Amino acid sequence: VWKPGGSFSIEEVEVAPPKAKEVRIKIVATGLCGTEMKMLENQMPYPIIMGHEGAGIVESVGEGVSTVKPGDKVITLFLPQCGECASCLNSEDNYCIQLKQSHTSLMTDGTSRFTCKGKPIYHFANTSTFSEYTVIREISVAKIDSAAPLEKVCLISCGFSTGYGAAINTAKVTPGSTCAVFGLGGVGLSVVMGCKAAGAARIIGVDVNKDKFEKAKEVGATECISPQDFKKPIHKVLVEMTGTGVEFCFEVIGNPEMVAAALASCHESHGVCVIVGLLEYGVQLNINGYLFFSGRSLKGSVFGGWKSRQNVSKLVSDYMAKKFNLDPLITHTMNLDKINEAVGFMKTGKCVRCVLLL
């Protein structure tokens, strides 16, 4: 993308060899995530190669790389795992300090590995997977099962892991519980899958787009409702439906008003609300403080609470063991040069996840 508000442009790009502790990867498949759609509207450095939900094969490694070698199948990670910071050393934490300290738009040494038409091109989210080749730090790469189908497991790079883990790790959904999921896109459906895997008895999907209801029920939702079908606020509808409010509620849209509604939908004493959707930087939440008096809790979640390098390979193994199915999440598969068409599908709401093949 050359400029703010611009569309994706297919260009010939020179990708430099990896430097120390870096890996050059031939990307095979990458998902088009809602995060890209939001970030296109935000201020970023341009020109930039976006993409952060990818899987590929290691082409070459820089000096000092010891955990992957050429020929290995890998998944790219927007959330690194350095293994040394306080977060990485804490068993309950996954927000590696390297995410905050790194140049997410440049490599560690402050330079780019991409050149196009003689100009350096910025990286995105430490990954830049909308490219046949990309260079990533070793701490942002996870080696996976050599038999894994990359056009499926690329979703474990972000969308699936984020939603599935929000239910299992962040909320810690309990067997027999009642859950509500606000937003039934790719990540929201992954939350539904996580709630089901955790043994929830009732999973209520909430979305204004009723076309998503059938897919939500296919992956585990027991019922679906649209706020537009009611004259009263959606949190009152959910409290009436359940009698007490839901035990676990997930906001997977990134809408501050929906965060307030999701929290108000929770059981007053032990309800847990998890923000999974990406809220824009600086957005303020307008929440009635009295909601917390009786014991409700509001939590954030990044990458579903998984330690990225450590857990992604295990999630891929679980997929290979048929513990979950990614197929329902993939509604479109296209070649990378159709990326603007894929963006159009995402904007219509008819596309859950589009996988781009390189």
Side-chain angles (χ1 to χ4, degrees), residues 98-110 123 126:
Q98 286 294 326
L99 182 67
K100 291 183 285 185
Q101 292 183 344
S102 66
H103 290 279
T104 55
S105 54
L106 292 168
M107 298 304 286
T108 309
D109 63 357
H123 294 245
N126 291 311

Side-chain angles (χ1 to χ4, degrees), residues 163-181 190-203 247-250 272-274 299:
Y164 192 73
I168 290 173
N169 300 324
T170 311
K172 294 182 168 57
V173 170
T174 52
S177 60
T178 298
C179 304
V181 182
S190 300
V191 173
V192 171
M193 292 165 73
C195 292
K196 183 181 179 183
R202 196 173 176 189
I203 305 167
E247 288 154 288
F248 301 96
C249 199
F250 302 85
V272 175
C273 180
V274 180
K299 304 176 79 172

Side-chain angles (χ1 to χ4, degrees), residues 318-353:
D318 285 348
Y319 168 77
M320 298 298 285
K322 294 183 166 54
K323 292 186 179 178
F324 53 82
N325 182 13
L326 296 171
D327 287 356
L329 302 177
I330 303 170
T331 51
H332 297 72
T333 301
M334 309 169 78
N335 290 332
L336 181 67
D337 60 3
K338 303 285 188 194
I339 186 167
N340 288 311
E341 204 175 316
V343 169
F345 283 136
M346 288 282 283
K347 287 180 177 176
T348 65
K350 293 179 180 177
C351 175
V352 177
R353 235 344 166 259

Side-chain angles (χ1 to χ4, degrees), residues 71-283:
D72 284 347
K73 281 189 176 180
V74 293
I75 280 180
T76 64
L77 305 167
F78 73 88
L79 178 66
Q81 185 183 352
C82 71
E84 299 172 353
C85 70
S87 294
C88 285
L89 295 174
N90 184 327
S91 62
E92 297 297 313
D93 195 347
N94 73 330
Y95 195 66
C96 178
I97 194 75
Q98 286 294 326
L99 182 67
K100 291 183 285 185
Q101 292 183 344
S102 66
H103 290 279
T104 55
S105 54
L106 292 168
M107 298 304 286
T108 309
D109 63 357
T111 65
S112 172
R113 300 292 171 268
F114 299 122
T115 309
C116 182
K117 298 178 180 176
K119 293 182 178 180
I121 308 295
Y122 286 104
H123 294 245
F124 175 74
N126 291 311
T127 49
S128 291
T129 59
F130 294 164
S131 172
E132 288 178 296
Y133 289 88
T134 190
V135 177
I136 303 179
R137 292 183 299 164
E138 181 183 15
I139 59 172
S140 296
V141 175
K143 180 180 175 181
I144 61 169
D145 187 330
S146 61
L150 299 180
E151 73 279 6
K152 309 279 189 188
V153 299
C154 60
L155 299 194
I156 293 173
S157 174
C158 175
F160 173 76
S161 303
T162 296
Y164 192 73
I168 290 173
N169 300 324
T170 311
K172 294 182 168 57
V173 170
T174 52
S177 60
T178 298
C179 304
V181 182
F182 283 64
L184 298 174
V187 179
L189 293 180
S190 300
V191 173
V192 171
M193 292 165 73
C195 292
K196 183 181 179 183
R202 196 173 176 189
I203 305 167
I204 305 166
V206 183
D207 203 299
V208 294
N209 185 349
K210 293 183 180 179
D211 291 342
K212 297 179 178 180
F213 291 178
E214 185 181 346
K215 181 75 74 172
K217 289 176 180 176
E218 182 187 335
V219 300
T222 54
E223 58 217 289
C224 295
I225 57 174
S226 168
Q228 294 176 333
D229 287 345
F230 303 92
K231 291 181 179 177
K232 61 182 70 173
I234 193 64
H235 71 273
K236 291 189 176 180
V237 174
L238 284 163
V239 170
E240 285 181 9
M241 284 175 70
T242 57
T244 57
V246 297
E247 288 154 288
F248 301 96
C249 199
F250 302 85
E251 199 283 350
V252 204
I253 305 163
N255 180 320
E257 291 178 6
M258 286 297 101
V259 170
L263 180 67
S265 304
C266 285
H267 189 285
E268 62 183 4
S269 65
H270 59 268
V272 175
C273 180
V274 180
I275 302 175
V276 188
L278 180 66
L279 290 164
E280 288 189 27
Y281 183 79
V283 162

